[in-house]
Amino acid sequence: MDLFFQQVLNGLMIGSTYAVVALGFSLVFSVMRVVNMAHPEFFMAGAFGAYLTIRYVTTNFFGVLAGGMLVAAIVGLVVERLAIRPVRGRYVMIPFIATSGVGIALQHLAERVFGSDPVAIPPVVPTVSYTLGPLSVTRMQLVTFAIAAILMLGLRYYVRNTKWGRATRAVAERPDVAAAFGVDVNFVSRLTIGISALMAGAAGVSIGILYTSAWAFMGLLYGLKSFVCMLVAGNRHIEGVMAIGLLLGVLEALVSGYITSTLRDAVAFGVLVVVLVFKPNGLFGSYSV
Amino acid sequence: MSLLLRVKDLEVSYGAVPAVKRVALEVPAGEIRAILGANGAGKSSTIKAILGLVKARGTIELEGRPIHGVPTHRIHQLGVAWVPEGRQLFSTLTVHENLEMGAFARGDGPRFASRVDEMFTLFPRLRERRGQLAGSLSGGEQQMLAIARALISEPRLLIMDEPSLGLAPKVVQSLFEQIQAINARGLSILMVEQNARQALKIAHYAYLLEVGRLAAEGTSAALMASEDVQRVYLGG
Amino acid sequence: MFWTPVLITAGINSIIALGLYITMSSGPLSVAHAALAGMGGYLGAVLTTNFGWPFALAILAGVLLGLVTGMLLGLLIVRMNELVAGLTTLGFGETMAVIAFNIDYIGGANAFTGIPLRTTLPLVYAVLAVILFVAWRYDHSRLGYAARATRDSPVTADAMGINITWVKSITFGIGAAIAALGGVLRAHYILVQGPEDMGFFISVGFLIFVVFGGSYVFWGPLFGAMTLTILPELLRFSTKDRFIIYGVLLTVMVILRPQGFITRRSMR
């Protein structure tokens, strides 16, 4: 029983990062009708941004977090300018392919610059463990979860209660009408990409520090899982994507703990197939493309 | 009398298909002008061109200032508000939030609060529903909200696309009375309508489009008596 | 001959690209074809290396595996919209790679080695010629027209009495079978079959051959695969840089000329 709860706890910690990455991806899809296949590279950029910040600027955790997020945001705006803005509104597979191309170029560029082997990230958060009865959790895990929670709740607040959040929802639903009431749709799109990049970047920083490494291709697996989260949850409700992210983390941890850790990464696809066979529009609907 | 809107030589094509060919119209300040025509005549395309939502060629001037090529959100800021065909409310936003979107360009200071109050006085049914999602309102209520959303930004020109669409005859009646009342307070209105009878009752002047071209124009009295309009759809 | 390796690789890439072309002719974007090729490669390799099967039979087995897997995948994605379908193929490919990584019988992370050399330059080009002929006949066949109708307008295709489920499933199957064929040839040339050849990037590599070369006519993927395999060799690009260029090329191509280099019009 202890193993169960421990794995659930571990799963929630990792799942929170899946949820954050999935949310950003889902947000861009809802608002811009674009599947940004370069989204995982924002995650990767965050981790490398953290590495660079630690190496050249500061080892203060908040500084590192800010540095990572900044790098991710810059990459985000570059991707938006080059691969998304020119093709928005066209047949949906075109941005999919265009962002895939940019994503691949970015991954290999990172490989060129940082090498094919993972780059070590020194621990900037002291490795302290807390025990709660039979369960244990490290400080970094808690920090990761806290960052994820703040970002997700922040996004929810932004979307529901602020002027620009409202405008974002309006653009997601009817961009022409939103424009006709004064909303600069291009600005909202850039803003949305920026937010998705900041979120993915923060998750990248967390995971980079948690696993003490950054790697040019680390985004791929993360990206795949967050896509699965979005597909399974549908993109109508923020809360759905969050919940599925957490759930996936827990499921993976349980499979890892009880069956075999080598099949962990296949869990996501298995879940995807099962859900999509019965509900092609995701559990909480809906997909309008 | 000053011209609020002037359109000349307007051409709109979707790919190789021309939808609007050399249309010209004007809206003098304080008038209601109508664009009439059957389905597919090019009425909505004309409106979309004025709003900058589709690519077009020609001259479009708002109070003497050329707005052709100006981005849609800037056109709104210049004082043009749109009541789209089929309402097109933000259905996942509440009534109040839709009004907030209407006033997006104006900000939400104390002026906004008093404007909201004015809208609710004009359309009392909306006040009760202010926290409800716009998608859950009845057809007539949605139309009221769509108009309120447009009016709340205190526009100089109101563009209405098929306001009577999908509404019961009694509702249409009171709707057009309200439009007339709004105009009486000084707002200029350009209205696209399929219900020519109702439109001609309140419009000062109208344009008849047929297959993208201007087939006839004139005062309401002139058009009501004309054969063209009778032929096209007053049942003649 | 210095050029032999490059020409063999270009020929194999062309074969797999043509497989992708046929799969995509009915609509879905697939990034699973590298995995499908890999599966063919694994099966063929195990059969010849561990069981001493004749090469021809191993090829046949690979093709059958590809056909069945492809048809099942095609069936799976029939009801999905294109985006979800594309992402599903992504998931499939990655999962197959993970599974291959974890099965020690076929070498696991260290890949399956010791494969006998069976593939020669003449063989590759003979097979390529056959596949080109098949693709040509396919383009002008009823199935080909039905597939293109399904891709361009599913609703109309349905109304015309085309069984969309069958069309999508069989085109995926045929395309996968061809890819698997390419995979068997490849495994018996490189003599190593590993999970890293099955992933997303390699699949995107094939995708770019098709997108760049032209996805509407069968000459397109041939041109794309040939050009993009031989050119980097000519210019002496290393593998890492190659993918950076591929990525940029894919993005630029799809923005500026999404129908690819060779279109039906340029063939007239």
Side-chain angles (χ1 to χ4, degrees):
Chain A
M1 224 35 204
D2 288 350
L3 176 64
F4 178 78
F5 285 117
Q6 181 65 56
Q7 288 305 90
V8 168
L9 190 59
N10 290 339
L12 283 175
M13 303 290 126
I14 295 290
S16 69
T17 58
Y18 292 158
V20 166
V21 177
L23 257 180
F25 179 65
S26 171
L27 187 69
V28 167
F29 181 65
S30 297
V31 175
M32 301 168 68
R33 300 285 185 273
V34 163
V35 176
N36 177 15
M37 292 295 287
H39 187 70
E41 274 54 72
F42 301 160
F43 172 80
M44 182 260 287
F48 275 110
Y51 166 73
L52 291 171
T53 311
I54 294 176
R55 193 149 169 211
Y56 296 113
V57 182
T58 170
T59 53
N60 172 289
F61 175 72
F62 292 105
V64 172
L65 183 62
M69 287 171 77
L70 185 66
V71 171
I74 293 174
V75 171
L77 291 177
V78 167
V79 167
E80 193 269 338
R81 188 69 192 80
L82 295 180
I84 300 182
R85 199 185 301 179
V87 291
R88 263 189 59 213
R90 286 208 228 161
Y91 169 56
V92 71
M93 289 316 276
I94 293 189
F96 182 97
I97 297 178
T99 51
S100 294
V102 172
I104 289 190
L106 283 172
Q107 285 161 3
H108 287 90
L109 198 62
E111 192 192 15
R112 200 83 171 70
V113 172
F114 296 103
S116 338
D117 293 318
V119 151
I121 295 186
V124 285
V125 169
T127 40
V128 175
S129 266
Y130 301 98
T131 46
L132 209 70
L135 304 178
S136 77
V137 67
T138 66
R139 180 181 286 186
M140 190 56 211
Q141 278 179 307
L142 286 176
V143 169
T144 301
F145 190 81
I147 293 177
I150 293 174
L151 284 173
M152 290 194 281
L153 293 175
L155 182 69
R156 194 160 172 275
Y157 179 80
Y158 166 76
V159 165
R160 281 188 177 200
N161 299 65
T162 68
K163 178 177 174 186
W164 284 100
R166 243 189 330 267
T168 306
R169 277 189 290 152
V171 169
E173 197 184 332
R174 299 186 192 279
D176 276 356
V177 180
F181 284 103
V183 178
D184 183 347
V185 173
N186 279 332
F187 178 75
V188 169
S189 303
R190 282 202 299 280
L191 189 64
T192 305
I193 294 267
I195 291 177
S196 78
L198 284 171
M199 291 177 69
V205 172
S206 300
I207 292 292
I209 297 180
L210 201 59
Y211 290 119
T212 67
S213 72
W215 178 46
F217 303 105
M218 63 193 290
L220 190 62
L221 218 46
Y222 251 83
L224 175 68
K225 292 174 189 177
S226 63
F227 300 166
V228 169
C229 285
M230 187 184 110
L231 290 180
V232 169
N235 66 335
R236 196 177 258 168
H237 297 294
I238 284 186
E239 293 83 0
V241 179
M242 286 190 217
I244 295 293
L246 290 171
L247 206 65
L248 181 64
V250 169
L251 218 60
E252 281 188 348
L254 288 175
V255 166
S256 244
Y258 281 101
I259 307 179
T260 163
S261 65
T262 52
L263 280 182
R264 188 191 59 187
D265 296 330
V267 171
F269 182 66
V271 169
L272 179 67
V273 171
V274 169
V275 170
L276 285 183
V277 162
F278 293 108
K279 287 199 132 219
N281 275 334
L283 279 179
F284 305 116
S286 70
Y287 259 101
S288 41
V289 174
Chain B
M1 186 169 260
S2 65
L3 275 187
L4 205 49
L5 179 69
R6 180 166 167 266
V7 173
K8 209 167 152 249
D9 294 327
L10 188 68
E11 289 186 24
V12 178
S13 300
Y14 296 118
V17 180
V20 175
K21 303 169 223 170
R22 308 210 61 202
V23 162
L25 58 86
E26 291 171 355
V27 181
E31 279 193 23
I32 300 181
R33 293 224 163 172
I35 303 180
L36 309 174
N39 254 332
K43 314 190 296 292
S44 278
S45 302
T46 305
I47 296 295
K48 290 201 173 134
I50 296 172
L51 288 167
L53 290 171
V54 297
K55 279 211 182 87
R57 282 197 305 277
T59 312
I60 309 177
E61 286 172 8
L62 187 67
E63 294 181 296
R65 176 204 179 122
I67 58 171
H68 178 226
V70 173
T72 306
H73 65 274
R74 282 282 301 140
I75 294 180
H76 170 73
Q77 286 159 9
L78 292 172
V80 179
W82 184 35
V83 183
E85 183 182 350
R87 266 73 75 187
Q88 297 208 44
L89 296 171
F90 300 118
S91 58
T92 56
L93 272 57
T94 63
V95 167
H96 187 84
E97 284 175 326
N98 268 273
L99 291 177
E100 283 177 307
M101 283 313 298
F104 185 81
R106 296 276 163 155
D108 31 54
R111 181 115 192 92
F112 171 69
S114 74
R115 283 296 286 172
V116 170
D117 224 42
E118 284 173 42
M119 292 301 117
F120 285 150
T121 313
L122 199 57
F123 304 109
R125 287 248 291 280
L126 291 181
R127 189 191 294 269
E128 306 157 10
R129 309 212 185 292
R130 77 190 293 170
Q132 256 184 265
L133 287 186
S136 65
L137 299 180
S138 75
E141 288 163 350
Q142 287 194 3
Q143 187 58 273
M144 290 186 224
L145 180 55
I147 296 177
R149 179 179 62 177
L151 290 179
I152 199 162
S153 61
E154 299 178 281
R156 310 173 65 72
L157 173 66
L158 185 65
I159 298 185
M160 305 183 78
D161 200 341
E162 312 261 11
S164 73
L165 199 65
L167 297 182
K170 247 199 219 147
V171 181
V172 172
Q173 182 89 307
S174 81
L175 173 67
F176 275 77
E177 280 165 18
Q178 241 161 4
I179 295 177
Q180 212 166 15
I182 292 170
N183 168 250
R185 275 137 85 200
L187 186 53
S188 316
I189 301 181
L190 178 63
M191 178 167 59
V192 162
E193 247 307 332
Q194 275 218 49
N195 187 338
R197 193 163 266 135
Q198 281 287 6
L200 288 176
K201 264 196 217 159
I202 65 169
H204 297 92
Y205 196 93
Y207 301 89
L208 177 61
L209 290 188
E210 234 182 328
V211 206
R213 281 206 176 80
L214 198 55
E217 63 176 276
T219 63
S220 326
L223 282 186
M224 272 210 266
S226 99
E227 282 170 5
D228 294 312
V229 178
Q230 305 258 5
R231 166 176 48 89
V232 171
Y233 52 158
L234 281 186
Chain C
M1 226 179 50
F2 167 70
W3 288 107
T4 311
V6 182
L7 285 175
I8 292 186
T9 309
I12 293 178
N13 283 348
S14 301
I15 293 174
I16 301 180
L18 282 166
L20 180 60
Y21 163 75
I22 292 187
T23 295
M24 283 175 59
S25 66
S26 67
L29 189 87
S30 166
V31 285
H33 273 59
L36 292 164
M39 285 168 71
Y42 270 116
L43 182 60
V46 167
L47 290 175
T48 51
T49 316
N50 289 5
F51 295 100
W53 279 32
F55 191 41
L57 281 182
I59 290 184
L60 201 62
V63 167
L64 269 166
L65 176 63
L67 184 68
V68 170
T69 312
M71 286 185 69
L72 286 175
L73 252 183
L75 270 172
L76 181 62
I77 65 172
V78 148
R79 268 193 305 162
M80 301 176 183
N81 76 43
E82 290 165 332
L83 225 43
V84 178
L87 290 169
T88 304
T89 59
L90 172 66
F92 172 80
E94 285 301 310
T95 306
M96 284 299 138
V98 165
I99 291 180
F101 196 83
N102 287 298
I103 299 185
D104 289 323
Y105 177 70
I106 55 175
N110 296 320
F112 190 79
T113 54
I115 307 176
L117 175 66
R118 290 276 186 273
T119 305
T120 63
L121 187 60
L123 179 62
V124 170
Y125 279 85
V127 172
L128 179 59
V130 169
I131 300 295
L132 277 173
F133 179 73
V134 168
W136 177 55
R137 294 308 307 152
Y138 169 79
D139 263 4
H140 296 291
S141 70
R142 271 185 54 209
L143 180 59
Y145 285 118
R148 285 196 292 283
T150 309
R151 176 185 60 196
D152 294 333
S153 175
V155 175
T156 319
D158 202 32
M160 293 196 315
I162 293 176
N163 183 342
I164 296 190
T165 308
W166 167 247
V167 166
K168 280 196 168 172
S169 164
I170 192 107
T171 50
F172 211 112
I174 295 178
I178 296 178
L181 170 55
V184 178
L185 289 174
R186 185 174 179 280
H188 290 83
Y189 171 66
I190 307 224
L191 309 185
V192 170
Q193 172 67 52
E196 57 286 342
D197 304 313
M198 292 171 72
F200 176 60
F201 302 128
I202 319 286
S203 285
V204 172
F206 292 117
L207 182 64
I208 188 197
F209 296 154
V210 176
V211 169
F212 175 79
S215 50
Y216 282 84
V217 187
F218 76 93
W219 291 113
L222 177 67
F223 172 77
M226 286 284 169
T227 317
L228 293 180
T229 308
I230 298 181
L231 213 57
E233 287 303 316
L234 275 178
L235 303 175
R236 306 281 170 96
F237 284 129
S238 74
T239 341
K240 292 183 207 168
D241 290 340
R242 177 180 312 204
F243 274 106
I244 299 180
I245 306 266
Y246 276 179
V248 170
L249 209 57
L250 185 60
T251 304
V252 169
M253 232 14 226
V254 86
I255 291 177
L256 296 179
R257 198 182 157 100
Q259 68 274 43
F261 227 87
I262 301 192
T263 58
R264 245 173 292 169
R265 256 205 234 135
S266 58
M267 296 292 307
R268 286 198 203 123

